Every structure is written in C-alpha cells, then in structure tokens.
Amino acid sequence: MVHSTARKERATPMPHPAHPDDDRGCVRLVLAVPLTLLTLTAALFCWTALTIRPSGPWDDQAYAAIELSCVLTLTAAAAVPALRLLPSVRRLAGWGWMTPALALGVVAGVRWAWLG
C-alpha cells in the first residue's frame, strides 16, 4: 500500500513555470495605466497651452506659461512612445495607443511655433 502512494506522487507532473514574456490578465491593464496617465497629462498641458491668452505683447508671464505648457506637453507625449519600447508594453499597445499622445504633441509643437 505504501508503494502505490509513492508511485502516484511520482506520476504527478510538475507544473511548468510561466514564461517570462507571458503577460496575461490584469498585468495588461496595469501596463496600460502609465500610457493613459501620460496621455492625460499631455492633454492637460496642451489644453492649458491653448487656453492661455496673453493680455498684450507686453504680457511676458502668459507667453512663458504657454511655452512651459508646450514643453511639458511635448515631454509627456514623447514619453508615451518611449515607454512603448519596453517589450511587455509593445505586446500590449499598438500604434493606436500612441496616436492621441502624438497628436497632442503635434498640436503643442504648432502652438509653440505659432507663439513666435
């Protein structure tokens, strides 16, 4: 009787460890969080750059705030494709995830160039 129990234990296959490149379930959602937060940050700063109106040509503080908002938009928008260079993020996020951030970067670049 003892021998049959030992034989059953040896016959049980060992579970295989997960492959390190296997991202499933909630991990994919967790990887989407930084992409979403960076895109929302870029949207906030882009909105700020577009809504600030200088009182006149002498309003240096408003022009500096617009320039700073454009720089921060471009920084957040550039971080999204940079984050996509990570293999686990690349498998999750196609170029569709990058499009809003890149569009916001283009808008901020045009606003900055239009500022003069």
Side-chain angles (χ1 to χ4, degrees):
M1 184 85 155
V2 175
H3 297 292
S4 64
T5 306
R7 196 178 282 166
K8 285 182 183 177
E9 288 177 10
R10 278 187 262 150
T12 306
M14 294 294 293
H16 297 289
H19 193 273
D21 292 336
D22 186 21
D23 293 329
R24 292 185 281 175
C26 293
V27 174
R28 288 180 177 250
L29 294 175
V30 169
L31 292 174
V33 170
L35 295 173
T36 304
L37 289 177
L38 285 169
T39 302
L40 289 174
T41 302
L44 172 70
F45 286 121
C46 188
W47 176 79
T48 303
L50 293 173
T51 57
I52 294 175
R53 300 282 181 229
S55 298
W58 47 267
D59 196 359
D60 292 334
Q61 289 180 346
Y63 287 113
I66 293 169
E67 187 173 349
L68 177 63
S69 294
C70 289
V71 168
L72 292 173
T73 300
L74 290 170
T75 302
V80 172
L83 186 63
R84 190 179 182 272
L85 295 175
L86 297 172
S88 56
V89 177
R90 192 177 321 126
R91 279 189 302 278
L92 164 76
W95 285 105
W97 283 80
M98 308 299 122
T99 305
L102 295 176
L104 290 166
V106 168
V107 169
V110 168
R111 174 68 169 138
W112 194 5
W114 183 47
L115 187 60

